[in-house]
Amino acid sequence: TYGLSVVLFSLLLSGGVGSWLTQRIGPNRFAQLAPRRLVLLLVVLVATGWVTLPTVHLCTEQTTPVRIGVAVALLCPAGILMGMAFPLGMRQAVAHTRQLTPWLFGINGAMSVCASVLAAAISLVHGISATFWLGVAAYAGAVLAFLAAGRRSPRRTQPPQCHESSCHQQQHQRPLAAE
C-alpha cells in the first residue's frame, strides 16, 4: 500500500532536486554539460530497468522500511536526471527562440496529462515493463531532438536580459497582429 506514495514522493522530490541543479550549469559550460547530463539520463534509465526486477525479487522478504529504502535508492538517481531534462530543454529553446516559452510550457503540461493516461492504458494491456521501456524510448527521442537542436541553435544559453523600460517599449511597438 506504500508503493504509490513512495514512488511519487521519490520521483517528485528527486525531480525537483534535478531541476534545481540545472541552475548550476553556467552559460559557458551549457553546450558541454547539458548533453552529457541527458545522455547520462538514458544510461541510468537503462541500468534502472535492468536492475529493478532482480532487486525487487531479492527484497520481497525484507521489512517495509528496507523495501522503501531500496525503492528510493533505485528511483532517485533517475529522478534527479529526469528532473533536469525539461529545464535544460527549455534553456536551449529560449536561447534560440524566446517566444516559444509559453507554448513549450503548455505542450509539456498537455503531454504530461496525455502520457499518464497512455501509460496507464499500456500498463493494463502490455504490463509495467513495456510502459517503462516505452518511456525510456520517449526520453531517447527527446535527447536526440535536444542534441540535434543544439547543433543548429546559437551558443547563447541564457535569455537576453530584459530591462523593464526596454521591454515596456518593445511591447508597445509590436503590431497587434503579432500578439
Side-chain angles (χ1 to χ4, degrees):
T1 60
Y2 293 108
L4 181 62
S5 299
V6 170
V7 169
L8 285 178
F9 177 79
S10 299
L11 288 177
L12 288 172
L13 182 65
S14 60
V17 168
S19 179
W20 178 76
L21 287 173
T22 61
Q23 297 174 27
R24 299 184 66 178
I25 299 175
N28 296 337
R29 301 199 53 205
F30 183 85
Q32 178 187 24
L33 294 179
R36 288 181 184 174
R37 298 292 189 273
L38 295 176
V39 170
L40 180 61
L41 166 61
L42 296 178
V43 171
V44 169
L45 286 174
V46 169
T48 300
W50 284 340
V51 302
T52 297
L53 195 56
T55 303
V56 167
H57 288 301
L58 286 173
C59 294
T60 54
E61 300 298 320
Q62 297 297 321
T63 63
T64 300
V66 169
R67 290 193 317 254
I68 289 172
V70 169
V72 170
L74 279 171
L75 293 169
C76 282
I80 289 170
L81 292 165
M82 286 189 292
M84 291 181 173
F86 185 69
L88 293 175
M90 282 297 296
R91 199 162 150 190
Q92 180 168 288
V94 166
H96 185 49
T97 308
R98 189 173 189 168
Q99 294 80 7
L100 286 178
T101 302
W103 284 100
L104 294 175
F105 272 105
I107 291 167
N108 180 61
M111 290 298 106
S112 295
V113 172
C114 292
S116 64
V117 172
L118 185 60
I122 293 169
S123 292
L124 288 171
V125 175
H126 298 289
I128 292 174
S129 283
T131 306
F132 174 82
W133 291 110
L134 283 172
V136 172
Y139 269 103
V143 170
L144 289 174
F146 180 90
L147 296 174
R151 292 179 187 200
R152 290 190 319 252
S153 69
R155 292 294 171 213
R156 186 187 59 167
T157 56
Q158 294 290 340
Q161 294 298 321
C162 184
H163 302 290
E164 192 170 323
S165 62
S166 65
C167 284
H168 183 71
Q169 290 171 355
Q170 289 174 358
Q171 287 174 351
H172 291 290
Q173 291 173 356
R174 269 190 274 161
L176 190 57
E179 298 179 349

